[in-house]
Amino acid sequence: PESAIIDGFKWIHWDNGVNHSRLGLTDGGDFSVAIRWDENQLNEYNGDTLQSIRFFIADSGFSEIVVKIWTGDEAEHLIYYDTVTDPVFNAWNEDAIDTLLLLDASLEYWVGYRVLGQESGSLPVGKDNGPRHYPNGEMFSINEITWDAAGSISDNYNWNIQLKLVNKDDTITKCTGFNIYRRKVNEEPLYTL
C-alpha cells in the first residue's frame, strides 16, 4: 500500500497537555476519574470516529487501570472499556479503541479511567495546573454512580485525559495486511497464495 498512516485526527481535552502534579485517595482503594462534554458541545465533531484515549499515569502504586467511555447524564451508559496492560509510569499512555464508535454530538460524553487497588500513599492520577474547566475537566467518583467535580474538594486543575477523534470527512487508509501470490507459468492454478 502507498500509505497506512491515518491523517485528519484531533485530540480533544480540557487539560493543557502538561502534567503538573498527581492525586490519589489518602487511604487507597478504587475510584474513577473522567472528563466530560455536554450534549451538543461536540457538534463540530459529529460523526467522527473515536480513535484512542490518552492519559497520564503518575505513580505505580495500584493493581489495574481500566479506561472507559460513557454517554448520558452522570455517565449512565458505559459504551467502551479496556484494561490497560503494562502502563508506563510518570508518562502519557495511549489506549487504542478497538471497537468502531462514532461520535453522536446529541449525547453527553464522559472519558476516563478506573484505578483499582490504589495503595495508601500512592498518587497515580496526573493533572495539569489549570485553569480549571468546571465541571468538565475534573470529574471524580468512588462508585461510578455518583460523580463530583474534584476541584470543588481541593484545587484548580483538570485531569490529564484526552480523546483522539478521526475526522469523518478525511479519507483513511489502514493496511491490516496483504497477500502475496506467486505465478506459475503453464500450471494450474495460474496463481497460488
Side-chain angles (χ1 to χ4, degrees), residues 12 37-48 103-109 165 167-169:
I12 59 173
W37 291 271
D38 291 325
E39 53 278 317
N40 300 316
Q41 202 168 13
L42 297 172
N43 281 340
E44 66 183 289
Y45 307 112
N46 191 48
D48 285 3
L103 191 138
D104 178 352
S106 69
L107 300 176
E108 188 171 315
Y109 277 84
L165 301 175
N167 189 325
K168 66 185 173 304
D169 298 324

Side-chain angles (χ1 to χ4, degrees), residues 13-34:
H13 51 93
W14 297 105
D15 67 305
N16 63 17
V18 177
N19 191 67
H20 176 70
S21 61
R22 52 199 187 144
L23 286 174
L25 298 176
T26 303
D27 296 328
D30 301 343
F31 65 97
S32 297
V33 294

Side-chain angles (χ1 to χ4, degrees), residues 28-102:
D30 301 343
F31 65 97
S32 297
V33 294
I35 58 174
R36 60 180 289 278
W37 291 271
D38 291 325
E39 53 278 317
N40 300 316
Q41 202 168 13
L42 297 172
N43 281 340
E44 66 183 289
Y45 307 112
N46 191 48
D48 285 3
T49 303
L50 284 65
Q51 185 74 26
S52 60
I53 301 168
R54 184 165 54 185
F55 53 98
F56 195 95
I57 296 297
D59 197 342
S60 62
F62 58 87
S63 61
E64 201 167 66
I65 296 285
V66 181
V67 295
K68 298 185 177 189
I69 300 174
W70 305 263
T71 60
D73 187 42
E74 295 292 309
E76 62 188 322
H77 305 291
L78 180 66
I79 62 168
Y80 178 80
Y81 71 94
D82 186 32
T83 301
V84 177
T85 56
D86 302 320
V88 180
F89 308 112
N90 201 30
W92 285 95
N93 290 263
E94 185 173 341
D95 186 75
I97 297 169
D98 59 5
T99 303
L100 179 62
L101 296 174
L102 301 179

Side-chain angles (χ1 to χ4, degrees), residues 150-168:
S152 62
I153 300 167
S154 59
D155 223 346
N156 180 29
Y157 56 79
N158 305 285
W159 304 130
N160 284 331
I161 302 172
Q162 303 180 353
L163 176 63
K164 184 179 186 181
L165 301 175
V166 175
N167 189 325
K168 66 185 173 304

